[in-house]
């Protein structure tokens, strides 16, 4: 209904639980299997999901969901923050990551990369890891104070941006892409859609009371 009228996938944002359940069912049908939806908290907690999650268990609060269970899908929820998806062809691991300003500062990108590397028990081929940076608020829209911009750009210089109306801003997708490049990963897909500018996407900055979209990645299990 209203602000949630197009596939809101998050509980706790004011939508009806039954509607969210229906919407989550639509996503599960689309990927033909169970989907574990993240419960993000702008932190760096990692949840490793085992077979028990195939039965629809709720995950712990975490901003990184990772699994190697064949048939299980993981979903990150966002409405301006960066939905980051990861696939490692070497181990078969997939991860869904929620990257907001706070999580970025706490190192959630590095945490997710470490979790993926740990899942493969020693392999080191970075070119087998693919990242997808989904729709997020862009650097021309994400206005922040000059203090906040300075705090973030001290660690992530590429986050520095300016709004279309010439005030301090942050470019979180660019910061994520830059960090991945710095860590040696070059298989990065960027969707470059702005949640704030596109009415079809949920944007917390634009609407405050709004739903959450999801980035979903499915695990095919370890390579044969
Ligand atoms: Zn924008």
């Amino acid at each position: 209904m209203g602000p949630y009228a197009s596939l809101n996938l998050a509980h706790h944002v004011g939508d009806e639980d039954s509607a969210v359940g229906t919407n989550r069912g639509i996503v599960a049908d689309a990927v033909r299997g169970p989907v574990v939806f993240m419960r993000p908290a702008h932190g760096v907690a990692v949840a490793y999901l085992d077979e028990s999650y195939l039965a629809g268990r709720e995950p712990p609060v975490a901003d990184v969901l990772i699994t190697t269970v064949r048939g299980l899908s993981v979903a990150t929820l966002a409405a301006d923050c960066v939905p980051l998806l990861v696939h490692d062809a070497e181990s078969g691991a997939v991860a869904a990551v929620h990257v907001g300003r706070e999580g970025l500062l706490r190192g959630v990108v590095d945490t997710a990369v470490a979790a993926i590397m740990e899942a493969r028990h020693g392999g080191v081929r970075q070119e087998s890891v693919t990242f997808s940076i989904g729709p997020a608020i862009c650097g021309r829209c994400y206005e922040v104070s000059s203090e906040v911009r300075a705090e973030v750009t001290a660690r992530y210089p590429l986050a520095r941006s300016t709004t279309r109306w010439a005030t301090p801003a942050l470019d979180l997708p660019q910061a994520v892409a830059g960090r991945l490049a710095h860590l040696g990963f070059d298989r990065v897909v960027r969707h470059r859609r702005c949640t704030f500018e596109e009415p079809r996407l949920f944007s917390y900055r634009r609407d405050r009371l709004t739903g959450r979209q999801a980035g979903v990645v499915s695990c095919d299990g370890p390579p044969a």
Side-chain angles (χ1 to χ4, degrees):
M1 295 288 290
Y4 318 108
S6 59
L7 209 62
N8 168 45
L9 293 163
H11 291 293
H12 317 299
V13 295
D15 199 358
E16 294 166 28
D17 276 352
S18 62
V20 175
T22 301
N23 290 343
R24 290 184 169 192
I26 291 169
V27 176
D29 285 348
V31 298
R32 298 191 182 86
V35 182
V36 178
F37 287 88
M38 179 181 286
R39 298 164 63 204
H42 298 277
V44 294
V46 179
Y48 291 89
L49 307 183
D50 61 19
E51 287 81 1
S52 68
Y53 287 89
L54 287 168
R57 245 176 100 187
E58 274 277 290
V61 170
D63 286 75
V64 181
L65 297 182
I66 180 168
T67 191
T68 53
V69 175
R70 188 188 307 275
L72 192 61
S73 298
V74 287
T76 175
L77 296 167
D80 289 338
C81 290
V82 180
L84 176 66
L85 301 176
V86 195
H87 171 248
D88 176 21
E90 197 158 301
S91 65
V94 296
V97 190
H98 173 258
V99 191
R101 172 168 52 86
E102 291 175 54
L104 184 71
L105 273 176
R106 291 178 180 146
V108 74
V109 174
D110 289 57
T111 300
V113 166
I116 281 284
M117 290 315 198
E118 200 174 307
R120 58 162 63 171
H121 306 297
V124 291
R125 286 176 52 249
Q126 290 184 314
E127 62 270 24
S128 71
V129 187
T130 306
F131 295 85
S132 168
I133 298 173
I137 191 167
C138 83
R140 305 290 281 169
C141 294
Y142 186 24
E143 181 177 53
V144 294
S145 68
S146 53
E147 291 80 12
V148 166
R149 184 173 70 174
E151 182 188 16
V152 175
T153 55
R155 282 190 59 189
Y156 300 94
L158 292 176
R160 186 183 176 84
S161 189
T162 306
T163 60
R164 276 177 276 109
W165 50 99
T167 57
L170 288 172
D171 189 333
L172 295 187
Q174 182 66 25
V176 173
R179 186 63 193 161
L180 293 174
H182 179 82
L183 293 171
F185 297 98
D186 54 10
R187 294 176 58 117
V188 180
V189 179
R190 286 186 65 176
H191 293 273
R192 296 184 187 277
R193 294 174 63 189
C194 175
T195 48
F196 190 83
E197 292 173 67
E198 283 197 38
R200 289 186 68 244
L201 296 170
F202 293 119
S203 171
Y204 179 78
R205 268 287 171 119
R206 185 186 62 223
D207 300 328
R208 294 293 164 184
L209 187 64
T210 190
R212 300 287 182 274
Q213 51 247 342
V216 185
V217 61
S218 304
C219 184
D220 288 335

